[in-house]
């Protein structure tokens, strides 16, 4: 392969993201009271990325980041022992996505695939998501090692230790220190509280760019833990209900990228944290979907992100490194089509979701969403 061709290809990395949903008491009600049925009784953690970051400056995102070799290290085995260990670590396993599209090149964390002692990806991705939540937000989704049962209950975040700032600095410098922190606290990452939710692959947008194969996990906790942004990569945060987050996006108070927008819209299907948690438990053996959006540029300047199931979606390796284009307007494409699974990007703060297909694996999809911003 020529140097020119190599430089034009995307550079892929595995990653993990944590969608942290916390129970929320309604202001002004009794301590044990819940919000009225029409009000979502949970909030989702969103972190504001610094405007100085090259990747997604200013975006509000879920905690997450790239998989590190330390997340798959066999050194974790001694911390999980003797009660949890290979091959499944007491996780309820599910099939990995069967889709063959797209086939991605080898990634740097694949080097451990030949090491029989390395942690399975199901475990390593969860450790990665939990580590990133600590690095970015100071949140510790850990379980004391003395708590042996992996019961299907709502999780809790561990109170941060007094020297949390020093520990976070160490972990940010070297991911291997996250294991040392867990040893210091006599805890393991609470991998059992994380439920696989979806897998998103970064769509093509520029030759030679960094792209991610990201597993999204959902974690339900009883109450919102304290959050301390690390103030370099992350400069702010907010706990928002799904409807509040979408309203803030449409009114240009926050900016969401498409996966966050889509997943928050999907969470609008759940009125309560208990419903959301029960859904996760009931679907634990269902396969998760793995999506690489394909970008279609319309004649009127809109970008359509096509998802699997859409009638225009093509499982063609050409579109792993290229976009589609058409001489039709976005309005014409919508009038002519019938089978939709797409997000139409009209402008930076104006997205619409169109879904007429059913999930292959009994997941929920967002309701169709077309917002007239003049009504906000």
């Amino acid at each position: 392969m020529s140097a020119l061709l190599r430089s034009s290809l995307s550079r892929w990395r595995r990653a993990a993201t944590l969608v942290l949903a916390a129970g929320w008491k309604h202001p002004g009600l009794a301590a044990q009271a819940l919000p009225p049925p029409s009000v979502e009784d949970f909030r989702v953690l969103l972190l504001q990325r610094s405007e100085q970051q090259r990747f997604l400056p200013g975006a509000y995102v879920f905690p997450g980041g790239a998989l590190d070799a330390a997340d798959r290290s066999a050194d974790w085995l001694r911390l999980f022992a003797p009660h949890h260990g290979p091959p499944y670590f007491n996780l309820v396993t599910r099939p990995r996505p069967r889709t063959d599209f797209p086939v991605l090149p080898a990634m740097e964390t694949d080097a451990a695939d030949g090491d029989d002692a390395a942690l399975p990806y199901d475990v390593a991705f969860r450790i990665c998501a939990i580590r990133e939540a600590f690095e970015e937000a100071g949140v510790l989704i850990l379980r004391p090692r003395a708590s042996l049962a992996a019961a299907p209950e709502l999780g809790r975040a561990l109170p941060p230790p007094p020297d949390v700032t020093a520990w976070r600095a160490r972990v940010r410098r070297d991911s291997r220190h996250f294991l040392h922190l867990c040893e210091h606290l006599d805890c393991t990452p609470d991998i059992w509280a994380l439920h696989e939710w979806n897998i998103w692959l970064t769509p093509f947008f520029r030759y030679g760019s960094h792209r991610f194969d990201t597993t999204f996990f959902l974690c339900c906790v009883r109450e919102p833990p304290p959050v301390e942004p690390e103030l370099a990569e992350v400069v702010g945060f907010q706990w928002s209900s799904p409807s509040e987050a979408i309203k803030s996006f449409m009114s240009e108070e926050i900016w969401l990228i498409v996966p966050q927008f889509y997943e928050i819209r999907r969470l609008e299907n759940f009125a309560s944290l208990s419903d959301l948690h029960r859904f996760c438990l009931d679907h634990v053996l269902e396969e998760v979907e793995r999506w690489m959006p394909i970008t279609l540029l319309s004649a009127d300047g809109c970008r359509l992100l096509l998802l699997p199931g859409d009638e225009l979606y093509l499982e063609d390796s050409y579109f792993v490194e290229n976009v589609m284009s058409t001489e039709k307007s976005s309005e014409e494409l919508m009038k002519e089509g019938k089978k939709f699974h797409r997000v139409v990007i009209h402008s930076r703060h104006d997205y619409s979701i169109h879904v007429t297909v059913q999930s292959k694996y009994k997941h929920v999809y967002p309701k169709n969403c077309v917002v007239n911003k003049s009504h906000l």
Side-chain angles (χ1 to χ4, degrees):
M1 183 183 294
S2 70
L4 178 61
L5 180 57
R6 284 197 303 270
S7 65
S8 68
L9 295 178
S10 301
R11 288 164 283 180
W12 287 93
R13 294 195 68 181
R14 301 186 192 277
T17 283
L18 182 62
V19 183
L20 188 61
W24 196 265
K25 298 290 192 299
H26 195 272
L29 296 182
Q32 300 302 316
L34 291 176
S38 61
V39 178
E40 298 141 322
D41 78 347
F42 66 94
R43 300 293 184 268
V44 176
L45 177 61
L46 293 171
L47 304 180
Q48 182 185 13
R49 290 179 58 80
S50 167
E51 294 284 359
Q52 307 307 314
Q53 293 293 308
R54 294 179 60 186
F55 183 66
L56 303 178
Y60 278 74
V61 298
F62 306 126
L67 183 72
D68 193 274
D71 300 322
R72 294 199 69 196
S73 170
D75 292 339
W76 283 102
L77 293 172
R78 68 176 183 266
L79 194 66
F80 284 99
H83 307 287
H84 307 296
Y88 303 123
F89 291 78
N90 281 17
L91 288 171
V92 179
T93 60
R94 67 171 75 193
R96 296 301 295 174
R98 292 188 294 267
T99 179
D100 294 325
F101 179 80
V103 177
L104 300 180
M107 304 182 209
E108 59 187 59
T109 49
D110 294 343
D113 283 347
D115 182 357
D116 292 338
L119 295 188
Y121 279 115
D122 282 349
V123 176
F125 286 143
R126 286 170 166 84
I127 292 175
C128 172
I130 292 170
R131 173 181 55 77
E132 287 285 346
F134 173 64
E135 289 188 28
E136 296 179 340
V139 174
L140 283 169
I141 307 297
L142 305 182
R143 174 176 295 195
R145 294 181 70 217
S147 180
L148 306 182
E153 58 186 19
L154 292 173
R156 288 184 183 273
L158 201 72
D163 50 353
V164 62
T165 302
W167 272 110
R168 187 152 63 160
R170 292 186 201 119
V171 175
R172 286 183 59 80
R173 286 195 303 268
D174 186 340
S175 297
R176 289 174 293 186
H177 285 294
F178 189 56
L179 170 61
H180 303 155
L181 171 62
C182 292
E183 289 175 325
H184 173 70
L185 298 174
D186 197 27
C187 292
T188 65
D190 193 355
I191 60 175
W192 307 278
L194 272 61
H195 305 277
E196 282 185 287
W197 187 254
N198 207 29
I199 301 174
W200 285 86
L201 279 68
T202 310
F204 172 81
F205 62 96
R206 185 176 64 247
Y207 290 113
S209 60
H210 287 283
R211 296 166 71 183
F212 297 92
D213 181 348
T214 306
T215 301
F216 280 59
F217 292 97
L218 194 136
C219 177
C220 296
V221 295
R222 296 182 185 278
E223 56 190 20
V227 176
E228 291 289 341
E230 46 81 27
L231 299 181
E233 182 179 342
V234 173
V235 295
F237 75 96
Q238 64 182 46
W239 290 98
S240 296
S241 70
S243 57
E244 288 169 346
I246 295 301
K247 184 176 181 180
S248 294
F249 168 73
M250 291 298 182
S251 61
E252 303 187 14
E253 296 172 43
I254 68 174
W255 177 55
L256 301 170
I257 58 174
V258 167
Q260 271 73 10
F261 179 83
Y262 185 102
E263 296 301 351
I264 291 171
R265 277 291 189 193
R266 184 167 10 205
L267 291 174
E268 288 182 310
N269 286 287
F270 303 94
S272 71
L273 187 70
S274 60
D275 288 347
L276 178 59
H277 187 239
R278 175 52 54 188
F279 178 86
C280 292
L281 296 178
D282 289 346
H283 290 73
V284 71
L285 290 177
E286 295 293 337
E287 188 172 334
V288 292
E289 297 190 66
R290 180 174 178 262
W291 297 339
M292 190 198 75
I294 292 176
T295 303
L296 171 62
L297 303 178
S298 63
D300 56 342
C302 287
R303 282 194 300 145
L304 286 74
L305 289 189
L306 308 176
L307 297 169
D310 192 282
E311 63 187 30
L312 297 179
Y313 190 89
L314 296 177
E315 291 192 357
D316 186 331
S317 59
Y318 176 80
F319 295 113
V320 176
E321 298 289 344
N322 292 275
V323 301
M324 300 172 67
S325 61
T326 177
E327 295 181 356
K328 296 180 179 180
S329 68
S330 57
E331 184 177 358
E332 289 173 321
L333 291 170
M334 295 306 304
K335 284 182 178 179
E336 295 174 4
K338 293 182 179 179
K339 189 178 178 183
F340 299 144
H341 192 194
R342 62 184 65 168
V343 181
V344 182
I345 303 175
H346 305 281
S347 66
R348 181 178 171 88
H349 287 271
D350 188 3
Y351 305 163
S352 58
I353 295 177
H354 305 269
V355 184
T356 61
V357 298
Q358 298 295 315
S359 169
K360 291 190 293 183
Y361 307 120
K362 302 180 183 179
H363 211 324
V364 293
Y365 284 170
K367 300 180 179 69
N368 285 334
C369 158
V370 181
V371 176
N372 184 341
K373 294 181 67 176
S374 65
H375 293 165
L376 293 177

